[in-house]
């Protein structure tokens, strides 16, 4: 977790809030229903502000969750990158199988060296906001039907992904890999290599790493607090995420291409 109740952690949280509210303590008090007179007075009621959530003081809980996302990138991910570069200046630190509505996408994309989520809304965020040369994709594999494998791979390509992440190599156990017991490719693996892997290896991947994704001038604004608000009430679904996905599909079904934008991008003039 990127949250803690240490003196250093609380000071970092206070600084984050001061920056988030642009130094306007009165604005924070209005949101939280509090009466602080100094930023130094602010301390979490508990590490994750669960007490605030139970009391339905959602702005206070959302701000704490928001800080956790930002702090993960500023401390854990950033520090791991620095340590790796001490041993290998070209090392890239990132993560896989993680990502979803409610993440600090700007922070991750500015800090991580690669990212491979599952096939969800994260791919759209990465496609829209990744820096040039960023390595990403989503997991494919899990089956032996070559048509489905190749289709999934090309879906990631049309989202700008310059790499393939395949689960898994071995052909034993629950998942059907692409290597048989004699370490040779299954026939479907051969088809996948021919129609999916080789095009990326032969230049398409390099092109995608520096491609500005085309769009029709349509932008959707990703609000991290809004995304977190979808998790305030107990539910099996994040309704904010479902609404965003439905609107994304509406735009695409109308024949238009679009991009996500964020607060950071808007403030920087991008």
């Amino acid at each position: 977790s990127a949250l803690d109740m240490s003196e250093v952690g609380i000071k970092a949280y206070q600084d984050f809030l001061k920056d988030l509210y642009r130094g306007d303590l009165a604005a924070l008090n209005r949101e939280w229903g509090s009466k602080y007179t100094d930023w130094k007075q602010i301390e979490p009621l508990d590490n994750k502000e669960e007490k605030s959530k139970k009391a339905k003081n959602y702005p206070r809980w959302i701000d704490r969750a928001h800080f956790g996302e930002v702090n993960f990138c500023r401390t854990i991910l950033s520090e791991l990158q620095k340590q790796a570069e001490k041993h290998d200046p070209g090392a890239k630190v990132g993560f896989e199988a993680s990502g979803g509505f409610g993440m600090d996408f700007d922070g991750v994309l500015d800090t991580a060296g690669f990212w491979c989520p599952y096939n969800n809304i994260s791919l759209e965020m990465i496609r829209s906001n990744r820096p040039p040369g960023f390595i990403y994709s989503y997991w494919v594999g899990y089956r032996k039907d070559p048509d489905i494998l190749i289709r999934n791979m090309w879906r990631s390509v049309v989202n700008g992904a310059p790499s393939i992440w395949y689960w898994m190599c071995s052909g034993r156990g629950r998942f059907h890999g692409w290597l048989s017991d004699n370490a040779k490719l299954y026939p479907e693996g051969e088809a996948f290599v021919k129609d999916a892997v080789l095009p990326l290896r032969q230049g398409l991947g390099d092109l995608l790493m520096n491609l500005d994704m085309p769009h029709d001038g349509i932008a959707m604004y990703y609000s991290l607090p809004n995304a977190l608000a979808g998790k305030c009430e107990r539910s099996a679904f994040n309704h904010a995420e479902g609404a965003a996905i439905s609107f994304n599909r509406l735009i695409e079904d109308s024949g238009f291409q679009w991009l996500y934008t964020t607060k950071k991008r808007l403030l920087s003039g991008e």
Side-chain angles (χ1 to χ4, degrees), residues 55-262:
K56 296 192 175 183
N57 187 343
Y58 296 134
R60 184 165 185 152
W61 176 81
I62 288 172
D63 284 347
R64 184 65 174 168
H66 186 175
F67 171 69
E69 292 291 330
V70 171
N71 202 42
F72 169 79
C73 300
R74 289 179 179 175
T75 55
I76 298 175
L77 194 55
S78 178
E79 186 59 31
L80 286 173
Q81 182 66 51
K82 291 178 183 177
Q83 293 302 318
E85 289 176 350
K86 289 181 180 179
H87 302 280
D88 180 357
K92 294 184 181 295
V93 173
F95 49 89
E96 53 81 25
S98 298
F101 221 60
M103 288 194 70
D104 176 22
F105 288 100
D106 280 329
V108 174
L109 291 172
D110 289 345
T111 310
F114 65 86
W115 195 356
C116 184
Y118 289 118
N119 182 15
N120 57 35
I121 201 168
S122 299
L123 193 66
E124 303 286 6
M125 290 297 303
I126 301 171
R127 168 184 70 84
S128 300
N129 296 291
R130 86 285 189 271
F134 191 76
I135 299 171
Y136 72 101
S137 188
Y138 72 88
W139 283 109
V140 298
Y142 306 98
R143 61 187 73 226
K144 60 181 181 179
D145 185 327
D147 291 337
I148 294 177
L149 292 173
I150 294 169
R151 182 193 67 192
N152 287 342
M153 175 271 172
W154 283 104
R155 182 185 183 280
S156 71
V157 164
V158 297
N159 275 283
S163 62
I164 298 173
W165 293 57
Y166 190 100
W167 183 268
M168 52 187 289
C169 283
S170 67
R172 294 180 175 272
R174 177 183 173 191
F175 298 115
H176 182 96
W178 63 358
L179 291 180
S180 61
D181 289 341
N182 63 4
K184 293 184 178 181
L185 289 172
Y186 286 108
E188 56 269 20
E190 294 178 357
F192 184 75
V193 169
K194 176 184 176 182
D195 294 335
V197 177
L198 288 181
L200 281 178
R201 292 287 296 171
Q202 293 171 347
L204 179 58
D206 292 333
L207 173 67
L208 290 171
M209 288 184 75
N210 295 286
L211 176 69
D212 287 330
M213 292 301 294
H215 58 84
D216 292 303
I218 301 173
M220 284 192 64
Y221 178 66
Y222 172 75
S223 165
L224 179 54
N226 253 6
L228 291 170
K231 302 179 181 181
C232 288
E233 297 288 348
R234 294 196 174 199
S235 171
F237 304 98
N238 184 329
H239 297 295
E241 179 177 6
I245 292 173
S246 295
F247 202 77
N248 295 348
R249 291 173 178 169
L250 174 62
I251 296 173
E252 292 170 355
D253 289 346
S254 299
F256 297 102
Q257 186 53 275
W258 57 279
L259 293 176
Y260 265 120
T261 190
T262 62

